[in-house]
Amino acid sequence: QVQLVESGGGLVQPGESLSLSCAASGTILNIAAMSWYRQAPGKQRESVARITRSRYTDYADSVKGRFTISRDNAKNTMYLQMNSLKPEDTAVYYCNADVALLTDYQYRGYWGQGTQVTVSS
């Protein structure tokens, strides 16, 4: 009923930038908070950034000042601009969204399939 599709991952060198997108589609009534998570090999999935529908944002300490989360409510799309990337940013990045469906107006959490970001020289 709802699909979240991430795009924009890839291989970059330390200090470079990368931009991720997450597009939601389906029988969507409304999307509340949207978030980016990441999971590095051998580590637990961790929260990176979160944005509410009114665009209040929150970031993990490790990415503050380097990453910027944004969203376009009309397009049901969220973005993550990542600057000054470090090798420790290497991970699979997932988007998550709290979505209310047209069918029952209930909010549920949905995940994308993930996109790989690799920062290496």
Side-chain angles (χ1 to χ4, degrees), residues 8-109:
L11 171 64
V12 297
Q13 294 188 349
E16 293 186 339
S17 299
L18 206 58
S19 182
L20 305 181
S21 298
C22 171
S25 62
T27 55
I28 297 170
L29 172 65
N30 187 57
I31 302 177
M34 302 183 79
S35 302
W36 287 100
Y37 286 76
R38 67 186 181 186
Q39 187 166 19
K43 294 188 176 181
Q44 289 189 331
R45 190 173 298 189
E46 64 175 359
S47 175
V48 175
R50 179 178 181 270
I51 184 168
T52 66
R53 187 169 183 83
S54 58
R55 296 182 175 84
Y56 172 83
T57 59
D58 191 26
Y59 297 91
D61 288 342
S62 59
V63 307
K64 280 181 181 176
R66 299 188 298 122
F67 290 11
T68 302
I69 190 172
S70 61
R71 64 188 286 175
D72 184 331
N73 290 332
K75 296 181 179 179
N76 289 334
T77 300
M78 172 178 64
Y79 308 94
L80 186 68
Q81 177 64 39
M82 304 183 292
N83 298 330
S84 302
L85 282 162
K86 304 175 181 180
E88 50 263 43
D89 294 318
T90 296
V92 177
Y93 283 70
Y94 298 90
C95 68
N96 174 272
D98 295 327
V99 182
L101 302 180
L102 285 168
T103 51
D104 62 6
Y105 301 171
Q106 297 296 314
Y107 280 94
R108 297 177 180 84

